[in-house]
């Protein structure tokens, strides 16, 4: 029997909506109100069209503990940083068009009231198709290359051997990256390829990629122990009076946060002072660690939190 939320393993959907919730004043100090809201949530989350992820703020408000769940660390490197932002709950809604996500969003919002309220929503989407079939980042480079597959993906993404209520769960590192398209467009094509470490035209890794290329900084097999995660990132875009903005909702699912954090520290140059070239045209503006509970009898399994 599959214990994990199936949407984590499924391919990137055409449309994704990240709905972030914060604790309301009504929930402060009232774990009973929170449990009632989460009981209603559990019945609505199928793990396929809706993937649920809980933050430390919510777990602590319940007076519960999730082994391995911790706040996102605010990390810095030479001239760069990765911020930490608190999130009580994030629901990743998956679909084929934006319209079909409207009613589920409304139903989830009502189910979680009055304990939790929507703080923000990020609209995301699958963009294009790369040379090997994966979607593209808004820079035009293929995203998701060298993701583990099959049993290797399951081993990287899901906890096991921890007991009922934990096995099949996943630890999600979620960052919203904001691209500076003017800075990227100002680079010659060869420099763009060197920043990524791959040719945009065919997605081939460059043999002569510099040490600061993203591919070199995050080669999962180059860490000790190896730092494999399952990436399910999606481009996002927003039109505002100040101009169009866009970037990547980076999502890394792991059996713990250790592999992601090892990659991020190297990207920031904490190991050797070499900063990942992605920071030349993109900036992380959020950073959250969340826990994706397993499934049980077709519903979200919240036994670890004392919610049945």
């Amino acid at each position: 029997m599959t214990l994990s939320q199936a949407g984590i393993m499924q391919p990137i959907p055409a449309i994704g909506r990240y709905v972030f919730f914060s604790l309301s004043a009504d929930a402060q100090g009232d774990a009973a109100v929170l449990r009632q809201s989460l009981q209603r949530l559990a019945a609505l989350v199928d793990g396929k069209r809706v993937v649920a992820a809980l933050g430390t703020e919510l777990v602590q408000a319940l007076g519960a503990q999730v082994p391995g769940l911790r706040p996102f660390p605010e990390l810095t490197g030479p001239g760069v940083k990765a911020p930490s932002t608190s999130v009580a709950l994030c629901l990743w809604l998956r679909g084929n068009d934006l319209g079909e996500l409207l009613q589920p969003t409304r139903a989830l919002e009502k189910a979680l009231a009055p304990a939790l309220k929507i703080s923000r929503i990020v609209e995301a989407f699958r963009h294009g198709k790369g040379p090997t079939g994966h979607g593209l980042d808004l820079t035009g480079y293929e995203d998701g290359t060298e993701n583990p597959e099959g049993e290797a993906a399951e081993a990287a993404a899901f906890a096991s051997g921890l007991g009922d209520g934990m096995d099949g769960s996943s630890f999600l590192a979620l960052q919203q990256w904001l691209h500076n398209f003017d800075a990227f467009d100002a680079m010659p094509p060869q420099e763009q390829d060197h920043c990524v470490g791959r040719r945009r035209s065919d997605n081939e890794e460059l043999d002569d990629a510099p040490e600061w290329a993203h591919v070199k900084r995050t080669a999962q097999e180059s860490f000790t122990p190896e730092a494999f995660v399952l990436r399910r990132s999606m481009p996002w875009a927003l039109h505002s009076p100040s101009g169009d903005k866009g970037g990547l909702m980076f999502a890394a699912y792991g059996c713990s946060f250790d592999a992601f954090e090892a990659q991020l520290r190297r990207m920031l140059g904490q190991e050797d002072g070499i900063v990942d070239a992605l920071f030349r045209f993109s900036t992380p503006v959020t950073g959250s660690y969340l826990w994706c509970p397993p499934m049980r009898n077709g519903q979200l399994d919240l036994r670890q939190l004392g919610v049945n």
Side-chain angles (χ1 to χ4, degrees):
M1 180 177 63
T2 300
L3 298 175
S4 61
Q5 297 187 57
I8 296 172
M9 284 290 291
Q10 291 173 349
I12 296 297
I15 295 292
R17 168 178 277 188
Y18 297 85
V19 187
F20 295 91
F21 289 82
S22 60
L23 294 175
S24 68
D26 294 326
Q28 300 296 331
D30 194 340
V33 172
L34 273 177
R35 288 192 179 92
Q36 291 169 3
S37 293
L38 291 179
Q39 285 173 342
R40 295 191 292 269
L41 174 69
L44 294 177
V45 172
D46 62 0
K48 300 175 183 178
R49 292 174 298 176
V50 181
V51 173
L54 287 67
T56 54
E57 179 184 355
L58 177 53
V59 173
Q60 291 174 355
L62 289 165
Q65 289 186 337
V66 174
L69 178 63
R70 59 182 187 265
F72 192 99
E74 185 164 320
L75 301 174
T76 61
V80 293
K81 67 178 181 179
S84 172
T85 50
S86 179
V87 173
L89 173 70
C90 177
L91 300 178
W92 180 32
L93 278 65
R94 303 162 41 88
N96 293 313
D97 65 70
L98 194 56
E100 73 178 75
L101 301 185
L102 176 62
Q103 291 302 329
T105 301
R106 296 181 67 246
L108 291 162
E109 182 180 18
K110 290 180 179 179
L112 289 166
L116 294 117
K117 58 183 180 180
I118 293 178
S119 56
R120 66 189 181 101
I121 294 177
V122 176
E123 308 289 7
F125 50 90
R126 181 183 171 99
H127 170 53
K129 189 175 182 180
T132 64
H134 296 282
L136 303 177
D137 177 70
L138 292 177
T139 57
Y141 287 87
E142 186 168 295
D143 185 55
T145 304
E146 296 189 1
N147 246 343
E149 298 180 356
E151 292 182 357
E154 293 182 1
F158 302 112
S160 63
L162 299 181
D164 292 343
M166 285 295 300
D167 287 350
S169 67
S170 186
F171 294 89
L172 168 62
L174 187 63
Q175 292 176 298
Q176 184 174 9
W177 286 72
L178 174 65
H179 291 350
N180 184 333
F181 294 108
D182 289 338
F184 181 77
D185 293 342
M187 296 179 184
Q190 185 181 44
E191 184 179 353
Q192 293 175 347
D193 285 352
H194 281 171
C195 284
V196 177
R198 294 182 180 276
R199 283 194 300 268
R200 180 163 45 186
S201 59
D202 59 9
N203 198 44
E204 284 296 315
E205 187 171 340
L206 301 176
D207 292 333
D208 60 346
E211 287 302 312
W212 36 261
H214 181 59
V215 165
K216 288 286 188 70
R217 294 281 87 193
T218 58
Q220 299 174 97
E221 68 281 356
S222 69
F223 293 84
T224 304
E226 294 181 339
F228 282 94
V229 296
L230 180 65
R231 289 167 290 154
R232 287 292 184 259
S233 308
M234 299 189 72
W236 66 273
L238 173 68
H239 177 74
S240 68
S242 60
D244 290 333
K245 298 179 180 179
L248 188 71
M249 288 296 294
F250 177 82
Y253 293 87
C255 57
S256 75
F257 295 122
D258 294 346
F260 164 79
E261 196 165 308
Q263 290 192 36
L264 181 60
R265 289 182 181 277
R266 184 183 287 178
M267 288 176 65
L268 290 163
Q270 291 191 352
E271 286 186 351
D272 51 15
I274 301 174
V275 175
D276 194 305
L278 288 191
F279 286 97
R280 299 184 183 185
F281 62 87
S282 193
T283 303
V285 294
T286 69
S288 303
Y289 278 166
L290 303 130
W291 177 64
C292 302
M295 300 294 293
R296 182 189 186 199
N297 299 326
Q299 293 188 358
L300 205 60
D301 184 355
L302 300 177
R303 285 178 291 172
Q304 182 66 32
L305 307 180
V307 178
N308 299 311

